Amino acid sequence: MLLAIDAGNTNVVFAVFDGDSKQGQWRISTDGRRTADEYAVWLTSLMTMKGLRREDIDAAILGSVVPAATFNLQRLCRDHFGVEPMRIGAPGVRLGIEIRIDNPREAGADRLLNAIAAVATYPAPLVVVDIGTGTTFDIVDRDGGFCGGVIAPGPSLALDALHRVAAQLPKVDIVRPATVIGKGTVGAMQSGMFWGYLSMIEGLLTRIEAELSPTGDPPVTVIVTGGLGAQFAEATSMIDHIDNELTLRGLLLVHQRNTAS
């Protein structure tokens, strides 16, 4: 079985695959100080609850955008599962997608994995909107190559910053207000976070589509992923698909491409 690890800025997600079938999935908050032993105690306990044993794992793959966490996640695989993890971005690991940006090393593992899984599932050209710690737009051209994107702060990050620097502004939840015009401070902040971010998403998608497919033929497919993706997708007609499994599927695909006989 394959242990797939997606280390993002907010959470580390673990999944176990038996072939194409996912047997379990778990997440823990990202902490660069967490040791391999701590990961092992937590993860193996959860695996046991699913009837999985550490001996069942015979391969691992890691995608990380958190260098401080990468070392201990690699040690987790080596010391507690007895496997050397394949790492996205390591020399010799074939992604199966052409990276058409100025410096391919700058592309984060999560963005590449989203693009890899998306182009294997949906028609290109396409845009993956990942709403998490940051809001990223990962773009695949009509020939199936990763050609760049857009990076902006995520709504939760922006809201936390607003609360920290403005003494009179409370910390509020991100919800969809019934009206754009807020009748109080909380309503006004929620409108800014929800409708403001949705307007940014729609505006950027409009500009991206104009550059990616100026005539509209072929049409651009838009996929949203990430913790807040579904909430925003329900309020716009510009998003075609909600898919929160992209990054893990990307890890699975890369491992399969590099181990196929």
Side-chain angles (χ1 to χ4, degrees):
M1 292 187 185
L2 173 69
L3 174 64
I5 306 172
D6 168 31
N9 290 300
T10 302
N11 293 303
V12 182
V13 181
F14 299 81
V16 172
F17 289 93
D18 185 2
D20 291 333
S21 174
K22 188 171 66 175
Q23 302 299 302
Q25 178 178 324
W26 311 273
R27 67 180 58 228
I28 191 171
S29 59
T30 302
D31 184 347
R33 299 167 298 177
R34 187 171 284 116
T35 67
D37 296 339
E38 289 172 316
Y39 280 120
V41 171
W42 172 83
L43 180 58
T44 54
S45 297
L46 290 170
M47 288 174 59
T48 299
M49 294 171 63
K50 286 281 191 178
L52 300 169
R53 304 173 304 159
R54 73 173 71 191
E55 294 83 5
D56 295 329
I57 302 299
D58 56 18
I61 185 167
L62 167 64
S64 175
V65 297
V66 187
T70 301
F71 175 76
N72 280 314
L73 289 168
Q74 290 177 311
R75 283 200 60 185
L76 165 72
C77 298
R78 295 170 184 147
D79 296 352
H80 295 279
F81 292 95
V83 295
E84 181 65 30
M86 185 182 296
R87 184 173 60 82
I88 304 301
V93 175
R94 303 184 307 276
L95 300 181
I97 189 172
E98 188 173 345
I99 305 174
R100 298 170 179 161
I101 62 175
D102 294 339
N103 183 359
R105 291 181 176 273
E106 290 181 353
D110 54 346
R111 300 181 63 201
L112 293 174
L113 291 166
N114 284 345
I116 290 164
V119 77
T121 310
Y122 305 101
L126 60 84
V127 181
V128 178
V129 185
D130 190 345
I131 307 175
T133 305
T135 298
T136 60
F137 296 71
D138 307 320
I139 300 168
V140 175
D141 61 27
R142 67 182 64 197
D143 298 320
F146 178 80
C147 63
V150 177
I151 302 174
S156 296
L157 183 63
L159 190 57
D160 286 343
L162 190 62
H163 170 63
R164 284 198 306 270
V165 301
Q168 290 187 304
L169 295 182
K171 187 174 178 64
V172 301
D173 295 327
I174 298 174
V175 298
R176 177 181 178 176
T179 60
V180 175
I181 300 172
K183 300 299 184 181
T185 299
V186 170
M189 291 177 68
Q190 289 175 331
S191 179
M193 286 301 106
F194 187 86
W195 296 117
Y197 261 84
L198 183 63
S199 296
M200 179 193 74
I201 290 168
E202 291 177 327
L204 282 171
L205 285 174
T206 298
R207 293 175 181 273
I208 289 167
E209 290 177 358
E211 290 184 15
L212 193 57
S213 183
T215 66
D217 184 24
V220 177
T221 305
V222 180
I223 307 104
V224 70
T225 190
L228 293 171
Q231 193 172 356
F232 284 96
E234 292 169 355
T236 179
S237 61
M238 295 190 71
I239 293 171
D240 301 304
H241 305 281
I242 302 169
D243 191 337
N244 289 323
E245 298 289 320
L246 282 178
T247 313
L248 290 175
R249 286 210 314 278
L251 285 167
L252 177 62
L253 283 168
V254 171
H255 187 267
Q256 290 174 336
R257 290 169 180 173
N258 283 267
T259 56
S261 55

